[in-house]
Amino acid sequence: MLPGTPHLARSSAGTLTLDGLPLADLARRFGTPLYVYSQAAMLDALAAYQRALAGRPHQICYAMKANSNLAVLQTIARAGCGFDIVSGGELARVLAAGGDPSRVVFSGVGKTAAEMAQALRAGVRCFNVESVSELDRLSAVAAAEGAIAPVSLRVNPDVDAGTHPYISTGLRENKFGIAHDQALAAYRHAASLPGLQVVGIDCHIGSQITQVEPYLDALDRLLDLVEAVERDGIAIHHVDVGGGLGIRYVDESPPAADHLVGLLLQRLDARGHGHREVMMEPGRSLVGNAGVLLTEVQYLKPGDAKSFCIVDAAMNDLMRPAMYEAWMAIEPCVSRSTPPQRWDVVGPVCESGDWLGRDRSFAVEPGDVLAVLSAGAYGMAMASNYNTRPRAAEVMIVDGAPVLVREREQAQALFSGEKLLA
Ligand SMILES: *Cc1c(COP(=O)(O)O)cnc(C)c1O
């Protein structure tokens, strides 16, 4: 069974297709390594959130660090979404893709003064502020710009999202957000500063979350604070519950987005906060299952202890296995009828951590194309040029036709900014 999305299928003849297009053909036409995305799969994933939020004041802000290709941003902007950004560079991408800055929230623990000024000039909707010193800096930057910065405080609700330590962000020990017990004082401070206007509250408790309870716990903790802050006479307009909903890589069964949203709205209503604007910042769950990474098998190296299938994609193209020991499904794009063997699928980079999948079973020959599934999020976005490897090309399938949305990098371009000594 293929995890993730109904847009991906295997024909009875053994051909793996995305939106009906044979992936091996795309690999031949555009070369490998190659990211391929289904626009329809992205829009389907977004529609689940939109359905559940319809009829409520709301704003979905796609956490674009998951996949920031301009065509992806354009697709999501045209569907009425805003963006959650974490850098000035991401803001520049939103504008280049035709996104609306008044639907942008600016997150991140380390915003520089220059990034704050850039975002104020662009007219972003809200700064999600993560510390008291950031409040002070933002107020000063806004005053110097002759502007008032709309702020939400990112509160660390101290709930365990039950996910990998590197992608868990809502615990007391994490660097993110303002501790729950210090948040009221931080709101009072924000309200006293001349360059700020308090507009909301937010949290983001982690990534690849597969349970609803952490979200409901975090929402309860936020609403406790909203009530305390408003008793103090500081009005809070929106509640932003962050992103983090998981996807199926193997056999995970995360809640469907509309189910999760339904439960969150119920909880808001039950506590008398049904009138508030709800904001969400999904990243992975909008794009993760919509993409695959195609790679060509270069060599087979059978051995006693391990057999290696050496491919032309590597950790620089897809970091998740090396960085989080993430398990991602790997499928031959055309299945063979010969008996399967066990392989460690590895790349050419000079690191033992350079693997894409371990102990996988399939029949394969050099020249075959493999697909790493569910690679649409935190795939290309985290790619690097380690080993002076040009980054992969990206193709988006739009209305059944493949469109090249990023050219393959050229090696020359990688060192074009470098200087030889005199
Ligand atoms: C990364 C991030 C998100 C999105 O997380 P996903 O797991 O990709 O949904 C949302 N909000 C903030 C502040 C983030 O840093």
Side-chain angles (χ1 to χ4, degrees), residues 278-297:
V278 179
M279 307 205 19
M280 296 192 78
E281 305 166 353
R284 186 192 311 270
S285 55
L286 294 188
V287 294
N289 282 137
V292 298
L293 171 62
L294 304 183
T295 182
E296 188 188 71
V297 177

Side-chain angles (χ1 to χ4, degrees), residues 2-228:
L2 298 169
T5 167
H7 293 263
L8 191 69
R10 190 176 290 285
S11 74
S12 50
T15 305
L16 192 65
T17 62
L18 186 61
D19 286 337
L21 300 184
L23 289 169
D25 293 355
L26 295 179
R28 222 162 289 128
R29 174 160 163 201
F30 295 98
T32 51
L34 179 72
Y35 277 97
V36 185
Y37 310 123
S38 158
Q39 186 190 52
M42 292 181 183
L43 291 173
D44 280 359
L46 177 57
Y49 283 94
Q50 290 174 322
R51 247 192 331 268
L53 287 162
R56 294 269 187 158
H58 74 273
Q59 177 69 60
I60 300 169
C61 293
Y62 166 55
M64 61 178 282
K65 70 179 189 287
N67 185 330
S68 56
N69 181 285
L70 293 189
V72 172
L73 304 186
Q74 188 185 29
T75 296
I76 286 177
R78 283 181 179 167
C81 249
F83 298 94
D84 172 46
I85 63 168
V86 292
S87 71
E90 288 195 342
L91 178 55
R93 278 185 180 271
V94 168
L95 299 177
D100 178 354
S102 73
R103 293 180 179 180
V104 166
V105 298
F106 191 175
S107 298
V109 291
K111 302 172 195 78
T112 65
E115 286 174 319
M116 289 171 171
Q118 177 193 356
L120 282 167
R121 285 180 208 144
V124 301
R125 167 157 183 183
C126 182
F127 290 83
N128 289 353
V129 173
E130 303 217 14
S131 65
V132 172
S133 32
E134 188 189 333
L135 285 174
D136 292 331
R137 175 185 278 181
L138 181 58
S139 177
V141 171
E145 292 285 319
I148 300 283
V151 297
S152 160
L153 296 198
R154 175 168 174 180
V155 174
N156 185 332
D158 195 25
V159 300
D160 187 355
T163 184
H164 187 284
Y166 283 11
I167 50 179
S168 183
T169 54
L171 283 169
R172 206 188 292 272
E173 69 221 48
N174 298 125
K175 72 177 175 185
F176 299 99
I178 296 173
H180 194 272
D181 56 11
Q182 292 164 23
L184 181 57
Y187 268 106
R188 288 183 183 136
H189 184 62
S192 76
L193 291 172
L196 306 184
Q197 184 184 5
V198 170
V199 296
I201 191 166
D202 65 284
C203 71
H204 173 67
I205 55 175
S207 201
Q208 187 53 20
I209 301 169
T210 55
Q211 310 286 323
V212 295
E213 290 76 18
Y215 281 103
L216 293 171
D217 291 348
L219 179 60
D220 272 331
R221 303 271 290 160
L222 286 194
L223 294 181
D224 293 345
L225 260 175
V226 169
E227 290 163 8

